[in-house]
Amino acid sequence: MDPAMLVLHSSPGSCALAPAIVLEEIGCPYRLAGVDFASGQQRTPDFLRKNPLGRVPVLEDDGLVLTEASAIMVYLARRFPEAKLLPEDDKGLAMALSFNSYLGSTVHVAHAHGRRGARWADEESSHADMRRKVPQTMRSTMALVEEGKLVGPWVMGAQYTICDAYLFTIAGWLEGDGVPLKELPRIAAHFAAMEKRPAVQRALAAHEGLRKAG
Ligand SMILES: N[C@@H](CCC(=O)N[C@@H](CS)C(=O)NCC(=O)O)C(=O)O
């Protein structure tokens, strides 16, 4: 393998789909390295050296080991500016970063309360309480996206950006979190438009390949 080749560590169904979509949109060569959650590969010493939190995504690029989906997407968009995946003006850039920060720090955390309650509490009764709350918090946090943050047709308006990859990834969790996508028609339309993009189809197929291999 070319040592300079980008490597994205990912797991099917995870937020690492978003940077995988960004890589596919850019069209640069990269390797998708599967992390098998079922066997606890994210907690092996080898993986913990890359991310001590034991989480995907992790991007490796020529000595750089980068965690956090939002940062990885910004890094990729700036490393490959010709793909035009970030607004160039200050206000547009700030709005894009604001949107992705909201998804990462608020919506993703609401989702994680469903399956990863042990991050925040020890008692099973606390985990059960957190799980019950997920449909409500996912609905209310995504309602803000539906009602204003998503400009349309893409998140930032006419320009397709890294925000679209992230929104698609998180919108894909809604049904499993007890929120029918049809209740959020603008997000549903965005989701359908994303599904038509060849880059999105390639990223999904690559993750399906990881699922079959795992
Ligand atoms: N804030 C991190 C969250 C990463 C995260 O929670 N990843 C999940 C998958 S979506 C994970 O690796 N979970 C494995 C575990 O908790 O064991 C980011 O945005 O990258």
Side-chain angles (χ1 to χ4, degrees), residues 35-115:
V35 180
D36 181 23
F37 284 178
S39 66
Q41 193 188 343
Q42 74 272 36
R43 289 185 291 277
T44 57
D46 189 41
F47 190 78
L48 290 173
R49 268 192 294 279
K50 301 182 198 307
N51 184 355
L53 282 177
R55 295 179 198 168
V56 297
V58 176
L59 181 79
E60 293 188 79
D61 182 18
D62 199 18
L64 172 75
V65 180
L66 186 61
T67 62
E68 298 297 327
S70 292
I72 291 170
M73 287 188 276
V74 170
Y75 174 75
L76 291 170
R78 286 179 58 98
R79 189 173 175 324
F80 300 95
E82 61 283 358
K84 297 197 179 311
L85 291 173
L86 269 178
E88 284 176 15
D89 65 295
D90 290 348
K91 284 185 183 160
L93 176 64
M95 289 303 285
L97 297 183
S98 169
F99 184 87
N100 275 7
S101 295
Y102 176 72
L103 291 189
S105 64
T106 300
V107 188
H108 188 174
V109 173
H111 166 79
H113 277 65
R115 289 180 55 199

